[in-house]
């Protein structure tokens, strides 16, 4: 059984349900003892900007802020797709402390190292 998971989130406010389900899965994997990396691409990069997820919510789910706090407390690395951020006018200074900005090679490296990939 795999002990690592990499979850690519491609949505944020443009599809809150998809974004929150992905964050929920990441939190569940963490609670299950897995090492988790979250890779943010496309509009998902906005999840790494301070305050963005504070009002992200849907029925029957913790809020985006609650889920991001759970992940941060668990040591989950949030990696932002650099080109995706650039296309949205975001630079490294726009992201929360501890966020890593990298290209797709970081996502591929996690998979090559044995992480189970999921994309939302």
């Amino acid at each position: 059984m795999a002990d690592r998971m990499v979850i690519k989130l491609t949505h944020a406010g443009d599809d809150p349900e998809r974004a929150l389900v992905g964050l929920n899965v990441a939190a569940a994997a963490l609670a299950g003892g897995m090492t988790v990396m979250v890779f943010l691409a496309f509009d998902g990069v906005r999840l790494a900007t301070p305050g963005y997820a504070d009002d992200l919510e849907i029925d029957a789910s913790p809020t985006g802020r609650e889920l991001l706090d759970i992940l941060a407390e668990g040591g989950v690395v949030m990696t932002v797709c650099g080109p995706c951020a650039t296309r949205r006018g975001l630079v490294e200074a726009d992201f929360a402390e501890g966020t890593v900005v990298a290209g797709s090679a970081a996502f591929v490296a996690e998979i090559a190292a044995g992480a189970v990939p999921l994309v939302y």
Side-chain angles (χ1 to χ4, degrees):
M1 179 178 195
D3 63 349
R4 298 169 59 123
M5 185 171 284
V6 57
I7 299 173
K8 181 186 269 189
L9 297 176
T10 61
H11 296 277
D14 63 320
D15 191 342
E17 185 172 18
R18 194 172 297 208
L20 292 176
V21 167
L23 291 172
N24 247 313
V25 170
L30 182 64
M34 296 183 85
T35 299
V36 178
M37 174 203 191
V38 174
F39 188 86
L40 303 172
F42 306 112
D43 205 48
V45 300
R46 298 184 190 288
L47 295 171
T49 59
Y52 184 88
D54 290 356
D55 297 323
L56 196 62
E57 58 184 286
I58 58 172
D59 291 340
S61 172
T63 66
R65 171 58 27 220
E66 291 167 331
L67 290 165
L68 287 173
D69 287 346
I70 289 167
L71 297 176
E73 290 167 12
V76 172
V77 175
M78 302 293 279
T79 302
V80 167
C81 167
C84 298
T86 298
R87 283 189 290 278
R88 284 156 181 80
L90 300 170
V91 296
E92 196 165 342
D94 293 321
F95 298 112
E97 187 177 332
T99 302
V100 174
V101 178
S104 295
F107 181 71
V108 172
E110 285 295 312
I111 297 166
V116 174
L118 295 175
V119 179
Y120 289 91

